[in-house]
């Protein structure tokens, strides 16, 4: 299983295929990081990490970023039943200190949280909780958001064999460097040999 990308390895690299990956000549071919070899010159993208692949203190910078649009704000605000005029009524918002609509914090949290999932909790069995959510700067349409996630803690589950609990802190920033949201979350992750890769075709 290739190691996931991290802040220390921001771009895909090649490593020799591990012994036993595939027999014969295929085992001598380099294997790209972030993919699983499933055949001769054939790879499958890796989503998320197993419990063993998390190291406390590791920081992952998530890419691509996301430019927030007016459609994002209005549609996602309506889907989440948040019809506060501060977010969807430009005429009303002209009279606020901002002078324009602010992107709903639910929208910001959803976008930043979502962009972290592939490289952190992509193999998650269950999301266990969100804590210490802080919205530290307003977001407006046209702002581009990025995120990074630090692994804070990990432990084996006491009630679920073959699974572990990982806790992370994610920081969302604008492309200008301003921090807009910080939150912590915990999720349940399988150990190697206890995932769904084979049965689900991943």
């Amino acid at each position: 299983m290739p190691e996931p990308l991290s802040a220390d390895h921001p771009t895909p690299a090649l490593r020799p295929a591990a012994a036993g990956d595939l027999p014969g000549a295929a085992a001598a071919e380099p294997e790209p990081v972030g993919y699983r070899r499933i055949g001769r010159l054939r790879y499958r993208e890796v989503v998320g990490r197993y419990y063993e692949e998390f190291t406390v203190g590791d920081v992952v910078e998530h890419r691509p970023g996301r430019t927030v649009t007016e459609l994002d704000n209005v549609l996602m605000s309506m889907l989440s039943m948040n019809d506060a005029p501060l977010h969807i009524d430009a005429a009303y918002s002209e009279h606020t200190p901002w002078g324009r609509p602010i992107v709903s914090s639910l929208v910001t949290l959803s976008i930043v949280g979502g962009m972290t999932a592939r490289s952190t909790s992509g193999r998650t069995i269950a999301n266990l909780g969100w804590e210490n959510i802080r919205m530290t700067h307003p977001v407006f349409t046209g702002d581009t958001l990025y995120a990074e996630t630090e692994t804070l803690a990990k432990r084996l589950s006491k009630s679920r064999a073959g699974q572990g609990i990982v806790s992370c802190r994610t920081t969302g920033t604008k492309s200008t460097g301003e921090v807009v949201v910080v939150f912590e979350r915990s999720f349940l992750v399988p150990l190697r040999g206890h995932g769904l890769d084979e049965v689900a075709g991943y």
Side-chain angles (χ1 to χ4, degrees):
M1 183 70 175
E3 295 178 357
L5 297 181
S6 70
D8 295 328
H9 303 283
T11 57
L14 296 179
R15 70 163 175 82
D21 282 355
L22 280 179
E29 296 170 0
E31 182 172 312
V33 173
Y35 299 84
R36 181 165 75 95
R37 185 190 302 279
I38 59 172
R40 178 88 163 91
L41 300 179
R42 180 174 289 272
Y43 307 91
R44 188 170 289 152
E45 290 182 317
V46 172
V47 178
R49 288 183 270 174
Y50 284 113
Y51 177 82
E52 294 90 341
E53 296 174 296
F54 286 91
T55 301
V56 174
D58 272 0
V59 177
V60 175
E61 298 183 3
H62 306 287
R63 294 296 185 273
R66 179 71 150 75
T67 300
V68 184
T69 68
E70 184 175 3
L71 177 62
D72 294 329
N73 185 46
V74 174
L75 181 60
M76 293 172 70
S77 290
M78 295 300 93
L79 286 173
S80 62
M81 299 290 288
N82 181 4
D83 62 354
L86 179 64
H87 305 309
I88 61 173
D89 187 331
Y92 173 94
S93 298
E94 287 179 357
H95 303 287
T96 70
W98 316 111
R100 53 181 169 156
I102 296 176
V103 172
S104 167
S105 57
L106 295 175
V107 175
T108 300
L109 180 62
S110 179
I111 290 175
V112 172
M115 71 172 61
T116 72
R118 182 177 186 87
S119 56
T120 58
S121 56
R123 283 193 168 94
T124 290
I125 300 159
N127 203 31
L128 301 179
W130 302 67
E131 297 180 298
N132 302 320
I133 302 172
R134 291 178 287 121
M135 314 304 294
T136 55
H137 199 280
V139 174
F140 302 98
T141 58
D143 287 341
T144 298
L145 303 179
Y146 292 97
E148 67 176 43
T149 298
E150 178 183 1
T151 301
L152 299 178
K154 57 183 285 190
R155 67 173 177 84
L156 294 175
S157 173
K158 297 176 182 177
S159 59
R160 292 176 174 266
Q163 300 174 12
I165 297 171
V166 175
S167 299
C168 295
R169 179 191 297 115
T170 293
T171 302
T173 62
K174 294 185 183 184
S175 57
T176 55
E178 296 164 307
V179 175
V180 298
V181 60
V182 180
F183 59 86
E184 297 173 11
R185 68 187 181 104
S186 299
F187 42 89
L188 197 62
V189 183
L191 277 65
R192 284 196 184 98
H194 296 271
L196 301 176
D197 288 0
E198 299 305 328
V199 295
Y202 269 70

